[in-house]
Amino acid sequence: METTIYYFTGTGNSLKIAKDLCENITNCRLIRICKRNMNINEVTSERIGFVFPVYYRGLPKMVANFIKNLDVNSGRYFFAAANFGSYAALTFEQIDILLRSKGKSLSANFSVEMPGNMWFMYYPHPKEDFINRMNNQSRITINIARKINNNYENNIPVIKNRYKEEKMYEDFNPNNIDENFWVSEKCVGCSICSNVCPAENIEIIEEKPSWKHRCEQCLACIHLCPQTAIEFKKDSINKERYKNIFVKTEDLF
Ligand SMILES: Cc1cc2nc3c(=O)[nH]c(=O)nc-3n(C[C@H](O)[C@H](O)[C@H](O)COP(=O)(O)O)c2cc1C
């Protein structure tokens, strides 16, 4: 049985999980959800998986749009692996609704706790918690891969505080959030921010990044800038940046 995993990532957590899954699932290939892959429509796999971070209690907009566009006719088994600071919230239900509109449904859902990368909600995680999550991730993911190999199925967990979570997701409109990004004199015009952006939202003009207002709010540009030259309002000043320690910046190009 062939498996395709589609993953979206900003700071590498989802990439690490997707890679670990793929290495432990037989006959598996990995495809990144990013602007240049938005029109992929040649799925032939019987097993189809989605790996993604939770944003504002729901799916990153790019992931939702990608699944909307995807031809899933070949699929017989669908899985979703969410990673997050707190919990998967609305994401599995959102994927199931998208699949049901195409006559399919989500067969299995999996959750992986990871360090949160969003300061204005809860960053930084307590150090101990952070280390535990990094240490446990591979073992948890290999266990998930074993279940996927056996086409394990489960039910979508009940959503706590549905009204609150839906309200939060409703307020998630990332495209123009980049109006709050700015670049300090530390910028050397290396263009890493532009290379890691999954939305191709950054153009380098006169050796400085310029954002084009189709941001997905993945925060890759801020977190991965080697000079820590990119800031979000005043919120990020002097705050530690985050990248999954097992992923190289170039893996996100
Ligand atoms: C815009 C944004 C919103 C987020 N919202 C949530 C959330 O609602 N719940 C949660 O548990 N984590 C949330 N997070 C944390 C990420 O889901 C988490 O850090 C994830 O592992 C990042 O994955 P990545 O490294 O693949 O980008 C949010 C992160 C960002 C950037």
Side-chain angles (χ1 to χ4, degrees):
M1 197 178 200
E2 187 189 89
T3 301
T4 303
I5 296 180
Y6 299 99
Y7 72 94
F8 176 85
T9 193
T11 54
N13 289 344
S14 310
L15 171 60
K16 174 65 167 58
I17 292 165
K19 271 189 171 169
D20 283 352
L21 283 177
C22 219
E23 278 166 18
N24 291 282
I25 293 173
T26 43
N27 195 11
C28 181
R29 65 178 184 154
L30 213 51
I31 295 181
R32 186 174 184 185
I33 299 177
C34 58
K35 182 147 188 300
R36 71 172 172 277
N37 287 339
M38 283 310 274
N39 293 322
I40 280 190
N41 225 340
E42 36 69 342
V43 193
T44 50
S45 300
E46 288 172 287
R47 225 192 251 133
I48 297 173
F50 305 102
V51 178
F52 52 86
V54 176
Y55 283 180
Y56 285 82
R57 303 300 193 256
L59 288 175
K61 300 285 171 171
M62 196 175 245
V63 174
N65 288 330
F66 182 86
I67 300 174
K68 256 182 226 159
N69 288 338
L70 192 68
D71 177 351
V72 295
N73 279 324
S74 61
R76 289 200 288 128
Y77 177 88
F78 294 87
F79 65 91
N83 69 97
F84 43 74
S86 56
Y87 89 117
L90 305 168
T91 55
F92 300 137
E93 203 176 277
Q94 289 173 331
I95 292 182
D96 191 50
I97 290 169
L98 290 168
L99 292 175
R100 281 182 193 276
S101 72
K102 298 165 189 270
K104 307 283 181 176
S105 62
L106 190 63
S107 318
N109 63 80
F110 306 99
S111 292
V112 187
E113 287 186 326
M114 292 300 273
N117 61 0
M118 172 80 160
W119 306 280
F120 4 113
M121 281 158 90
Y122 42 61
Y123 188 85
H125 262 99
K127 203 79 186 166
E128 197 183 316
D129 202 14
F130 178 102
I131 291 166
N132 284 342
R133 288 176 183 208
M134 295 312 289
N135 287 342
N136 291 337
Q137 176 267 316
S138 266
R139 184 181 44 78
I140 291 170
T141 312
I142 290 167
N143 209 12
I144 293 172
R146 204 169 48 234
K147 290 182 174 173
I148 293 169
N149 279 324
N150 291 322
N151 293 336
Y152 162 93
E153 296 195 12
N154 62 2
N155 292 324
I156 294 171
V158 175
I159 295 162
K160 306 172 239 168
N161 303 320
R162 172 182 292 279
Y163 175 76
K164 206 178 109 222
E165 310 300 39
E166 282 177 349
K167 177 79 191 69
M168 194 159 178
Y169 193 66
E170 247 173 62
D171 293 340
F172 174 43
N173 294 304
N175 287 176
N176 291 316
I177 198 88
D178 57 12
E179 286 169 1
N180 301 294
F181 297 173
W182 54 278
V183 65
S184 73
E185 74 292 341
K186 290 193 273 181
C187 175
V188 294
C190 69
S191 76
I192 285 178
C193 53
S194 169
N195 289 330
V196 295
C197 177
E200 293 174 24
N201 185 40
I202 303 177
E203 208 177 324
I204 305 296
I205 301 175
E206 292 174 8
E207 298 190 354
K208 297 274 177 264
S210 167
W211 287 267
K212 298 194 258 187
H213 312 312
R214 51 175 194 234
C215 185
E216 294 289 328
Q217 210 178 327
C218 72
L219 306 182
C221 55
I222 302 184
H223 282 297
L224 275 67
C225 170
Q227 311 297 326
T228 54
I230 303 176
E231 305 283 3
F232 180 92
K233 297 186 193 166
K234 289 189 178 160
D235 301 7
S236 57
I237 297 175
N238 296 329
K239 300 233 173 96
E240 224 179 290
R241 302 311 200 237
Y242 176 78
K243 176 179 72 59
N244 186 292
I245 51 172
F246 300 107
V247 166
K248 294 199 216 75
T249 301
E250 309 84 82
D251 299 338
L252 299 163
F253 283 7

